[in-house]
């Protein structure tokens, strides 16, 4: 598996780092050059991580930061999109996840308000299940949260509930201290809460990664993404902020399914075609294309 | 502004969060000049939410010596009205206060009053009014309530008890029993929450709760 990290520093001699990453079999995911500074997101195999660290320390001026959530698309779920729940604390949580490398989507439920009539629609369940992790931001009172938690049972992905009470009497992954707020997360105490949330998420994602390591795909996700970038030229011209979203076992291509589905299927990845090594489906989210790589053992069969 | 929060279930964490939320909304809407105190009662088992607001108004008074020239001539007092717009109302008020037999309207803007002390006339209040725009106050109060009441409590009723503006909200139909219960709750004195000081000691909030200097 790969270690995903971000290099931030001077652009001078950064080409040497790029070469080293490519030599050890790593991938450059994103490279942004602003004036004399460069922001480089990359993935390298675990066993070569120490070489990269040593090289940055000895040769370059800059900082290295591990991004445990870079391969994740996180759904930040809010009971409504009304003023009661947005922008604080939902947007602050989403922003904090983005700073830690995750790709976030804020999802406001259509019938999420209240205690008695609250519910989830089929479409909402399907959209949330397309993500790697769901952070569900609930309210201030324990009684309401304990009743509301049950409606999210159909969500299969790892989920973290967030609310104001410190603890609740239901056996779910829960973090207290973050409820309805009227101000930004600005005090030290509040930032610590967000850090704790990221830590909890990282642990869940680590477990997911371990599960995936048992049945890895034929080609690493980064290689597949690289091939898609090379073959689909229109990705350069799309106005989507993130045309290609890497996921733990695949990726999301933010292009219309109807137009690009057939072209994507025929892309050659190593000795196979993409349609042979992956399940491709129309996403419920924005008409995009969801690619999930098949595990190796399925191909061997 | 004083904030009182009570809950049937006594969920301290939830009440803490609500206290902070009310403070934030007050800051956003600059409601400190309008609202003297806020009282919230929540019953989660029957999904009842009561928000009672005590308005704070500055009443401005206009006295006779501000709109007239008051002179004492021998045993009588002469009043010259400076602007004609005050004349009809002021004359009627003086008739009511001091009697028809004592007030004599010599000219359009000149009055003569007998058997009354000069000081009493000068301090006589012509009118009292609320200087702020009433609609503006109303808008702030409604916005304040709609931001604080949980969005799931969609059935809402506005009423008033004594000098309180009361908003009752529920996740079901509001019944007569809810109104009676609200009356009963508001007739009892509010309980002052004790967690504020603890919060500062624990360092959960770095800011000091707002204290209205005008009060």
């Amino acid at each position: 598996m790969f270690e995903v990290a971000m290099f931030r520093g001077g652009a001078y001699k950064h080409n040497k780092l790029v070469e080293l990453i490519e030599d050890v079999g790593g991938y450059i995911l994103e490279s942004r050059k602003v004036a004399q500074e460069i922001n480089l997101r990359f993935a390298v195999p675990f066993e070569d991580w120490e070489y990269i660290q040593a090289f940055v320390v000895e040769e370059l001026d800059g900082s290295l930061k591990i991004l445990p959530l870079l391969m994740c698309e996180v759904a930040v779920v809010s009971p409504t999109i009304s003023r009661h729940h947005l922008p604080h604390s939902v947007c602050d949580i989403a922003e904090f996840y983005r700073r830690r490398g995750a790709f976030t989507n804020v999802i406001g439920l259509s019938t999420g308000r209240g205690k008695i009539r609250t519910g989830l629609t089929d479409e909402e369940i399907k959209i949330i299940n397309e993500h790697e992790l769901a952070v569900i931001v609930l309210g201030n009172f324990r009684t309401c949260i304990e009743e509301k938690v049950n409606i999210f049972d159909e969500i299969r992905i790892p989920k973290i509930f967030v609310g104001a009470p410190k603890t609740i009497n239901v056996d779910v992954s829960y973090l207290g201290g973050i409820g309805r707020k009227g101000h930004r997360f600005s005090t030290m105490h509040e930032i610590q809460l967000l850090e704790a949330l990221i830590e909890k998420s990282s642990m869940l994602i680590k477990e997911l990664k371990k599960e995936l390591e048992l049945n890895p795909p034929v080609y690493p996700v980064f290689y597949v993404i690289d091939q898609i970038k090379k073959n689909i030229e229109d990705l350069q011209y799309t106005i989507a902020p993130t045309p290609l979203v890497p996921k733990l076992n695949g990726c999301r291509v933010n292009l219309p399914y109807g137009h690009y589905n057939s072209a994507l299927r025929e892309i050659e990845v190593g000795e196979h075609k993409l349609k042979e090594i992956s399940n491709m489906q129309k996403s419920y989210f924005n008409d995009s294309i969801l690619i999930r790589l098949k595990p190796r053992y399925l191909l061997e069969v | 502004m004083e904030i009182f929060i009570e809950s049937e279930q006594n969920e301290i964490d939830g009440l803490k969060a609500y206290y902070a939320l009310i403070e934030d909304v007050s800051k956003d809407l600059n409601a400190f000049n309008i609202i003297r105190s806020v009282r919230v009662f929540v019953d989660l088992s029957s999904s009842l939410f009561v928000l009672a607001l005590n308005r704070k108004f500055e009443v401005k008074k206009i006295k006779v010596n501000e709109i007239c020239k008051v002179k004492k001539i021998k045993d009588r007092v002469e009043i010259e009205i400076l602007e004609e717009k005050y004349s009809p109302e002021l004359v009627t008020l003086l008739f009511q206060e001091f009697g028809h037999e004592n007030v004599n309207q010599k000219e359009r803007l000149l009055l003569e009053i007998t058997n009354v002390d000069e000081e009493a006339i000068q301090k006589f209040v012509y009118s009292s009014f609320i200087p702020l725009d009433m609609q503006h106050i109303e808008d702030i109060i409604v916005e304040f309530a709609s931001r604080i009441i949980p969005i799931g409590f969609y059935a809402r009723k506005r009423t008033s008890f004594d000098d309180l503006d009361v908003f009752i909200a529920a996740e079901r139909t509001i019944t007569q029993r809810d109104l009676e219960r609200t009356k009963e709750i508001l007739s009892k004195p509010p309980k002052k929450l004790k967690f504020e000081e603890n919060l500062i000691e624990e360092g959960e909030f770095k800011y000091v709760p707002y204290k209205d200097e005008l009060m």
Side-chain angles (χ1 to χ4, degrees), chain A residues 79-85 88 112-118 139-144 146-147 164-167 177-184 186-190, chain B residues 7 9 11 13-18 20-21 24-25 28 42 44-47 49 143 145-154 156 171-172 202-207:
Chain A
T80 62
I81 51 165
S82 69
R83 186 147 198 166
H84 292 73
H85 300 108
H88 320 294
R113 62 185 184 175
K115 190 179 74 169
I116 301 168
R117 292 166 191 226
T118 184
N140 285 352
F141 294 110
R142 189 192 297 123
T143 321
C144 299
E146 282 170 3
E147 280 193 31
K166 279 174 187 157
T167 51
I178 307 173
R180 266 181 71 191
K181 269 188 197 298
H183 61 268
R184 280 199 70 195
S186 52
T187 61
M188 287 302 288
H189 170 71
E190 287 163 341
Chain B
S7 154
Q9 285 72 22
E11 288 192 19
D13 291 337
L15 297 183
K16 273 182 195 176
Y18 244 96
L21 182 75
D24 290 333
V25 174
D28 275 1
V42 196
L44 298 163
S45 59
S46 65
S47 76
F49 189 95
E143 180 68 23
S146 68
R147 284 202 203 178
I148 285 170
I149 295 170
I151 194 164
F153 289 58
Y154 62 91
R156 289 166 194 192
E171 215 180 330
R172 47 176 172 76
E202 285 169 22
E204 283 197 27
F205 291 110
K206 297 289 177 194
Y207 59 86

Side-chain angles (χ1 to χ4, degrees), chain B residues 169-183:
Chain B
E171 215 180 330
R172 47 176 172 76
T173 320
I174 294 169
T175 57
Q176 188 61 34
R177 204 171 152 266
D178 292 329
L179 292 173
E180 283 161 14
R181 199 174 163 210
T182 307
K183 249 182 196 174

Side-chain angles (χ1 to χ4, degrees), chain A residues 6-9 11 14 28-41 103 241-243:
Chain A
M6 180 172 73
F7 168 76
R8 212 171 179 183
H14 86 277
I28 304 292
L29 301 174
E30 199 182 353
S31 168
R32 278 187 195 168
K33 197 177 167 188
V34 182
Q36 289 156 350
E37 279 218 349
I38 191 126
N39 202 327
L40 208 67
R41 289 180 180 202
F103 293 87
T242 46

Side-chain angles (χ1 to χ4, degrees), chain A residues 124-181:
Chain A
E124 283 163 356
I125 293 168
K126 282 170 187 166
I127 288 174
I128 296 169
N129 278 337
E130 282 179 8
H131 295 77
E132 263 75 44
L133 178 79
V135 180
I136 298 153
V137 185
L138 297 174
N140 285 352
F141 294 110
R142 189 192 297 123
T143 321
C144 299
I145 293 172
E146 282 170 3
E147 280 193 31
K148 243 177 169 177
V149 160
N150 301 327
I151 66 160
F152 296 96
D153 284 347
E154 285 183 58
I155 293 171
R156 299 189 312 272
I157 58 169
K159 46 189 182 275
I160 301 174
F161 292 92
V162 161
K166 279 174 187 157
T167 51
I168 56 170
N169 302 325
V170 186
D171 190 21
V172 287
S173 182
Y174 175 81
L175 184 77
I178 307 173
R180 266 181 71 191
K181 269 188 197 298

